[in-house]
């Protein structure tokens, strides 16, 4: 729930990992205005992934404090200057339901350009994973009332009638599966496969 302090500035609660091996704590941060090319989204859903558990346990080398949550779906609250369309070219307005990709890859390194493996990008900035809440906008994870999405984020406007719970399957696990079964090793009719994880 968004709140307002006495001066009218909006605030957002967020689940912040401050110390590995300890439960996240709820902190409150100001909701910034959207940057040009970005947008502010009211998070309606923030998925829980195995990666979140690894992060909280200290199994990944990531900075803290950190607002968790790399899977999300929500409602556009405000658009930054120049933000008029989603990544597929659909008009984007306040009140639209959107999902977003968890990372922004650089698009220039060997992994991005030559291998077409943006998940291996050494410069990748991932919401809820490596975006320290003490730098830039602290609202950089979906386990919050709001998230500040930056320019370069892949944002998709959800068509009317899509079940948000079903859509959340494509926040992380879905694209991973599609990437594995379509780009890395296409499955052929009659083959037997095991999906694990």
């Amino acid at each position: 729930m968004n709140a307002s302090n006495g001066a009218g500035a909006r605030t957002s609660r967020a689940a912040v990992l401050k110390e590995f091996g300890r439960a996240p704590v709820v902190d409150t941060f100001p909701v910034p205005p959207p940057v040009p090319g970005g947008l502010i989204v009211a998070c309606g859903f923030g998925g829980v992934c195995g990666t979140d558990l690894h992060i909280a346990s200290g199994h990944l080398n990531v900075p803290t404090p950190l607002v968790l949550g790399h899977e999300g779906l929500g409602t556009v609250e405000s658009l930054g200057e120049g933000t008029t369309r989603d990544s597929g070219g659909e008009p984007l307005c306040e009140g639209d339901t959107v999902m977003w990709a968890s990372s922004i890859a650089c698009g220039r390194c060997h992994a991005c350009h030559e291998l077409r493996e943006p998940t291996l990008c050494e410069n990748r900035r991932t919401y809820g994973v490596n975006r320290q809440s003490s730098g830039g906008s602290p609202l950089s994870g979906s386990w919050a009332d709001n998230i500040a999405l930056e320019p370069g984020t892949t944002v998709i406007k959800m068509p009317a009638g899509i079940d948000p719970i079903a859509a959340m399957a494509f926040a992380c696990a879905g694209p991973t599966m599609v990437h594995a079964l379509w780009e890395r090793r296409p499955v052929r009719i009659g083959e037997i496969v095991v999906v694990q994880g």
Side-chain angles (χ1 to χ4, degrees), residues 70-120:
H70 62 278
E71 303 177 3
L73 181 147
T75 305
V76 175
E77 282 196 350
S78 54
L79 299 167
E81 182 182 339
T83 306
T84 59
R85 299 192 175 272
D86 75 355
S87 297
E90 291 295 316
L92 200 56
C93 301
E94 291 179 5
D96 287 340
T97 300
V98 295
M99 288 185 72
W100 54 92
S102 61
S103 338
I104 303 173
C106 75
R108 298 178 308 278
C109 70
H110 178 72
C112 287
H113 188 66
E114 301 297 326
L115 300 178
R116 291 188 44 220
E117 290 279 3
T119 57
L120 300 177

Side-chain angles (χ1 to χ4, degrees), residues 4-144:
S4 173
N5 65 23
R10 292 183 327 120
T11 59
S12 173
R13 297 170 301 173
V16 181
L17 178 67
K18 292 190 173 186
E19 192 176 335
F20 297 123
R22 297 211 181 257
V25 299
V26 176
D27 274 351
T28 302
F29 300 99
V31 177
V35 297
L39 58 157
I40 301 297
V41 175
C43 298
F45 296 87
V48 179
C49 178
T51 300
D52 298 311
L53 303 177
H54 286 295
I55 290 170
S57 298
H59 298 156
L60 299 174
N61 182 23
V62 297
T64 57
L66 170 72
V67 174
L68 292 167
H70 62 278
E71 303 177 3
L73 181 147
T75 305
V76 175
E77 282 196 350
S78 54
L79 299 167
E81 182 182 339
T83 306
T84 59
R85 299 192 175 272
D86 75 355
S87 297
E90 291 295 316
L92 200 56
C93 301
E94 291 179 5
D96 287 340
T97 300
V98 295
M99 288 185 72
W100 54 92
S102 61
S103 338
I104 303 173
C106 75
R108 298 178 308 278
C109 70
H110 178 72
C112 287
H113 188 66
E114 301 297 326
L115 300 178
R116 291 188 44 220
E117 290 279 3
T119 57
L120 300 177
C121 173
E122 292 182 13
N123 305 308
R124 180 172 69 145
R125 297 178 327 233
T126 305
Y127 294 105
V129 174
N130 66 0
R131 318 261 318 253
Q132 194 170 15
S133 63
S134 58
S137 172
L139 295 175
S140 57
S142 63
W143 292 9

